[in-house]
């Protein structure tokens, strides 16, 4: 459960403008669905990199803001989120590689959104057709042979007609994914920034790198990275990415954690 413990003051690292920032006692990243590129549907927490735009025009990360540990008044504004149409400008004017990486991560998910729409439309249509076919087939094999009188009695007693069980053999397909030149360039630059980063997370748990290589069609590199993760750090996402890479699938995939 996500629990908020108030608002505290922060100062932007560029010009020290004061903003409010939410303080959390606990966080819950539960979502209706997750995507392999990091996007979350219906998330209980903001699904961004913490990139914000200062009033001076610069972009900064909330994690790098000066924490004043002073309660913020109700009239203190939050630092504005960066709109998708500002991401290219944030990338071009980034004052550090960390800011550029955050902007490019958000841009990566944004550029994948058009495919997400195709994916969801395709999956909804396939599931609906599969369910209809399954229900029709089950109904033919299990006809309702009750008499008219029995149907009336059951309706009066609110006895519902038996429904078909869940289809155990639902197909799972999705549209082909072919990244554009813009997407390829952005993903390749994210890889450069991750590899040059001094933080060790991308080395100890290189899921983001593996996903980038997979979407770029560099399956052998993705497989090598995932297989290099310690057994105790393997999880459902790493296993999914390994399976997709082995199958030579490049598409961002929706899954449940």
């Amino acid at each position: 459960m996500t629990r908020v413990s108030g608002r505290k003051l922060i100062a932007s690292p560029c010009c020290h403008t004061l903003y409010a920032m939410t303080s959390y006692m606990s966080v819950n990243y539960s979502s209706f669905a997750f995507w392999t590129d990091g996007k979350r549907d219906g998330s209980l927490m903001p699904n961004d990199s913490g990139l914000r735009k200062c009033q001076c025009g610069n972009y900064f990360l909330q994690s790098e803001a000066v924490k004043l540990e002073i309660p913020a008044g109700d009239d203190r504004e939050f630092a504005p989120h960066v709109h998708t149409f500002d991401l290219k400008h944030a990338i071009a004017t980034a004052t550090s590689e960390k800011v550029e990486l955050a902007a490019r991560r958000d841009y990566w998910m944004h550029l994948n959104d058009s495919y997400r729409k195709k994916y969801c439309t395709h999956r909804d249509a396939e599931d609906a057709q599969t369910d209809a076919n399954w229900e029709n087939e089950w109904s033919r094999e299990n006809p309702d042979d009750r008499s008219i009188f029995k149907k009336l009695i059951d309706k009066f007693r609110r006895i519902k007609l038996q429904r078909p069980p869940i289809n155990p053999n639902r197909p799972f397909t999705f549209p082909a994914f072919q990244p554009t030149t813009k997407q390829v360039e952005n993903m390749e630059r994210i890889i450069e920034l991750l590899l040059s980063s001094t933080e060790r997370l991308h080395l100890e748990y290189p899921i983001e790198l593996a996903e980038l290589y997979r979407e770029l069609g560099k399956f052998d590199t993705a497989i090598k990275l995932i297989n290099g993760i310690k057994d105790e750090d393997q999880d459902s996402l790493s296993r999914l990415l390994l399976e997709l890479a082995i199958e030579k699938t490049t598409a961002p995939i929706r899954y449940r954690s």
Side-chain angles (χ1 to χ4, degrees):
M1 179 177 180
T2 297
R3 299 177 61 187
V4 175
S5 61
R7 295 152 39 104
K8 291 185 178 180
L9 280 178
I10 60 171
S12 63
C14 41
C15 66
H16 296 159
T17 296
L18 296 179
Y19 293 104
M21 186 176 77
T22 302
S23 295
Y24 295 98
M25 294 179 63
S26 62
V27 295
N28 186 338
Y29 290 99
S30 298
S31 305
F32 293 132
F34 300 81
W35 294 81
T36 51
D37 65 354
K39 186 73 176 280
R40 302 191 301 271
D41 292 340
S43 177
L44 295 177
M45 287 292 292
N47 192 191
D48 62 30
S49 57
L51 186 67
R52 298 293 183 267
K53 186 175 184 178
C54 186
Q55 69 170 13
C56 69
N58 285 317
Y59 300 88
F60 70 96
L61 295 174
Q62 285 199 126
S63 61
E64 295 191 324
V66 180
K67 312 298 191 298
L68 301 180
E69 301 300 331
I70 300 172
D74 293 339
D75 59 340
R76 180 67 59 180
E77 295 183 353
F78 291 96
H81 286 254
V82 179
H83 296 289
T84 52
F85 54 76
D86 277 337
L87 286 173
K88 288 193 289 186
H89 183 255
I91 291 169
T93 61
T95 54
S96 70
E97 290 191 346
K98 284 188 176 182
V99 170
E100 181 186 355
L101 178 58
R104 286 189 178 277
R105 279 172 168 155
D106 290 347
Y107 195 45
W108 174 27
M109 287 190 283
H110 167 63
L111 292 176
N112 279 344
D113 282 346
S114 59
Y115 174 78
R116 258 183 271 278
K117 293 178 182 178
K118 295 179 183 178
Y119 179 102
C120 292
T121 298
H122 177 95
R123 293 293 323 123
D124 290 345
E126 181 171 75
D127 286 346
Q129 186 61 55
T130 298
D131 290 344
N133 292 342
W134 169 251
E135 185 169 341
N136 290 336
E137 180 181 344
W138 186 90
S139 297
R140 285 196 299 270
E141 296 176 355
N142 301 271
D144 182 5
D145 53 5
R146 296 173 301 167
S147 66
I148 295 177
F149 178 73
K150 184 65 166 62
K151 290 179 180 178
L152 288 173
I153 293 297
D154 287 348
K155 183 177 182 181
F156 176 76
R157 296 174 63 188
R158 296 184 179 179
I159 297 177
K160 295 182 179 180
L161 180 65
Q162 183 181 2
R163 301 293 300 169
I166 297 175
N167 185 353
N169 299 308
R170 302 184 84 185
F172 182 82
T173 64
F174 42 84
F177 174 74
Q178 182 60 51
T180 64
T181 300
K182 185 186 300 183
Q183 288 174 293
V184 169
E185 291 175 349
N186 187 59
M187 287 190 285
E188 288 179 341
R189 178 56 180 161
I190 293 176
I191 291 172
E192 291 178 9
L193 291 168
L194 287 173
L195 292 178
S196 65
S197 172
T198 57
E199 297 180 355
R200 294 194 54 81
L201 182 60
H202 72 278
L203 298 175
E204 299 168 355
Y205 186 70
I207 288 298
E208 185 177 30
L209 272 173
E211 173 64 6
L212 288 161
Y213 282 122
R214 186 185 69 82
E215 289 188 26
L216 289 168
K218 299 178 180 180
F219 305 113
D220 290 342
T221 305
I223 291 170
K224 183 178 179 180
L225 284 170
I226 296 170
N227 284 335
I229 299 175
K230 296 178 181 178
D231 290 342
E232 59 267 27
D233 293 331
Q234 294 282 357
D235 55 20
S236 59
L237 177 54
S238 63
R239 291 189 290 272
L240 172 60
L241 293 188
L242 180 60
E243 180 182 343
L244 293 171
I246 291 173
E247 294 174 350
K248 299 189 183 304
T249 298
T250 59
I253 299 294
R254 183 177 60 185
Y255 69 99
R256 295 189 181 278
S257 180

